[in-house]
Amino acid sequence: MKSKILALSKNEEFKSLLKNKKISNKYVTIFFGVLSNKDEKKLNISFVTKKKIGNAVNRNKIKRRLRNIMNDACKETSINLKYSYLVIAKPTMLNNEFKLIKETLFQEFNKIKK
């Protein structure tokens, strides 16, 4: 299933997601919840990396990895499009293999789907 990926844009959207449910592992923390005025045919997701992780090059590398994983997840697994997601990266993500990160994130999104 191919769906269009949209980023969260408003401050209120971020604040409301931070108050909703969360799931965490050693690579990321995922906040998810239902937002009002959301198109259910599109995936609302934003990626956040903190400045403590490193310089801009490292932060952008992490965001590129996460975007790539989410594009693969949209194609391979069924993600619940009712929810909007906020993915906050942890520093351990920088030094691990892409394949390991991808597998753990797929497991997390399968947990959310249920």
Side-chain angles (χ1 to χ4, degrees):
M1 179 179 145
K2 177 69 175 162
S3 67
K4 179 142 173 99
I5 295 177
L6 292 175
L8 301 172
S9 58
K10 296 182 180 173
N11 191 20
E12 295 85 32
E13 293 174 345
F14 282 96
K15 286 182 180 178
S16 66
L17 278 182
L18 289 172
K19 292 177 185 172
N20 286 328
K21 298 177 187 173
K22 80 172 183 176
I23 193 166
S24 185
N25 62 23
K26 67 179 184 176
Y27 301 118
V28 294
T29 302
I30 303 170
F31 291 90
F32 61 97
V34 179
L35 292 179
S36 59
N37 303 329
K38 183 194 175 309
D39 186 7
E40 293 197 12
K41 295 178 182 170
K42 298 178 181 176
L43 177 63
N44 276 16
I45 189 165
S46 284
F47 306 107
V48 177
T49 55
K50 297 178 181 178
K51 280 194 170 183
K52 285 185 176 182
I53 290 178
N55 59 8
V57 174
N58 291 334
R59 294 193 304 268
N60 287 332
K61 179 181 179 181
I62 289 173
K63 286 191 248 183
R64 279 194 312 270
R65 282 181 164 189
L66 287 170
R67 266 188 240 110
N68 196 345
I69 290 170
M70 288 313 301
N71 284 330
D72 291 345
C74 288
K75 295 173 189 171
E76 296 176 18
T77 63
S78 60
I79 294 177
N80 195 345
L81 296 178
K82 292 187 298 184
Y83 293 131
S84 297
Y85 301 95
L86 175 62
V87 180
I88 300 176
K90 292 183 179 178
T92 56
M93 191 171 172
L94 192 60
N95 300 325
N96 287 305
E97 290 185 28
F98 179 78
K99 190 174 181 180
L100 291 172
I101 298 168
K102 184 176 177 180
E103 289 172 3
T104 55
L105 283 179
F106 275 24
Q107 290 172 357
E108 297 299 326
F109 277 103
N110 284 333
K111 287 180 190 174
I112 292 173
K113 185 176 69 174
K114 294 177 183 176

